[in-house]
Amino acid sequence: HKTVYTLTGRALRVDEDVRIPKSIGDLPRIGVEFALAPDLEQLTWFGRGPHESYPDRQRGAAVGRFTSTVTDQYVPYVMPQEHGLHVDTRRFALHDGAVGVEIAGTEPFAFSASHYSAEDLTVATHDVDLAPRPEVIVHLDHRHRGLGTLSCGPDTLPEYRIGPGRYRWSWALQPFVAQR
């Protein structure tokens, strides 16, 4: 994974280049994860919504502009797991009601914002085992695998799996000021 950061005026442009070897045949996602300040609870995005959507489950989610909170992105599945993804996103902002950050892609991408890390969800066996983190955990995905797991039901169709190869994408981070 090679990342190049370029400061362009008010924005930080990030160019990502990931190479997956042939020995790795099926990945859950290709993207980046980072944490943001706890007070960036307000969420707005232009992409699919208002509920979660995935590459193989998106027909019921229209493309539009949506608002929510990071807390409300959590989906209380019986067994804690990945949740709150939004595919076909062009941009999203996390803010405190006044200021924050906006992330935009050069092509549609998937993102999620949560108070739980992937590790938190993996070790929990019930939702009562989860303790929300104060910070906001962001996943910004160039590619995301479909939902099937073959654990209870069918596996993900081949066209929604992520295999070896080279993946390149760009995104930008810039200041955000909320409309009042």
Side-chain angles (χ1 to χ4, degrees):
H1 183 179
K2 178 182 176 186
T3 304
V4 175
Y5 299 97
T6 307
L7 194 55
T8 59
R10 292 183 40 173
L12 176 67
R13 180 184 167 105
V14 183
D15 296 302
E16 310 277 3
D17 187 348
V18 174
R19 295 172 193 228
I20 306 300
K22 290 183 181 180
S23 60
I24 300 176
D26 192 7
L27 293 167
R29 63 181 6 131
I30 294 179
V32 294
E33 175 189 45
F34 50 91
L36 294 174
D39 56 341
L40 301 180
E41 175 66 17
Q42 302 302 309
L43 170 64
T44 63
W45 74 96
F46 183 72
R48 291 202 181 265
H51 52 78
E52 65 181 4
S53 58
Y54 286 81
D56 58 348
R57 196 188 72 131
Q58 58 180 289
R59 285 191 184 160
V63 173
R65 184 179 182 279
F66 301 97
T67 61
S68 185
T69 64
V70 174
T71 298
D72 286 344
Q73 293 301 295
Y74 176 68
V75 179
Y77 292 113
V78 174
M79 173 106 176
Q81 59 190 285
E82 161 76 33
H83 62 272
L85 191 73
H86 298 284
V87 298
D88 290 340
T89 302
R90 280 59 165 192
R91 62 182 58 247
F92 70 96
L94 290 157
H95 57 94
D96 63 6
V99 296
V101 296
E102 180 179 70
I103 295 170
T106 56
E107 61 185 72
F109 59 90
F111 86 95
S112 63
S114 177
H115 288 296
Y116 305 102
S117 70
E119 293 79 11
D120 296 337
L121 298 169
T122 300
V123 299
T125 56
H126 299 87
D127 60 355
V128 296
D129 298 333
L130 289 172
R133 294 170 177 266
E135 65 269 16
V136 177
I137 308 298
V138 175
H139 281 111
L140 181 61
D141 296 331
H142 175 61
R143 295 283 187 270
H144 197 285
R145 188 182 198 275
L147 290 175
T149 63
L150 202 57
S151 63
C152 61
D155 197 359
T156 302
L157 294 173
E159 60 265 31
Y160 299 111
R161 295 181 193 165
I162 302 170
R166 186 174 187 184
Y167 299 88
R168 292 185 283 191
W169 72 100
S170 299
W171 55 282
L173 178 108
Q174 63 187 15
F176 177 81
V177 177
Q179 301 282 330
R180 292 187 185 236

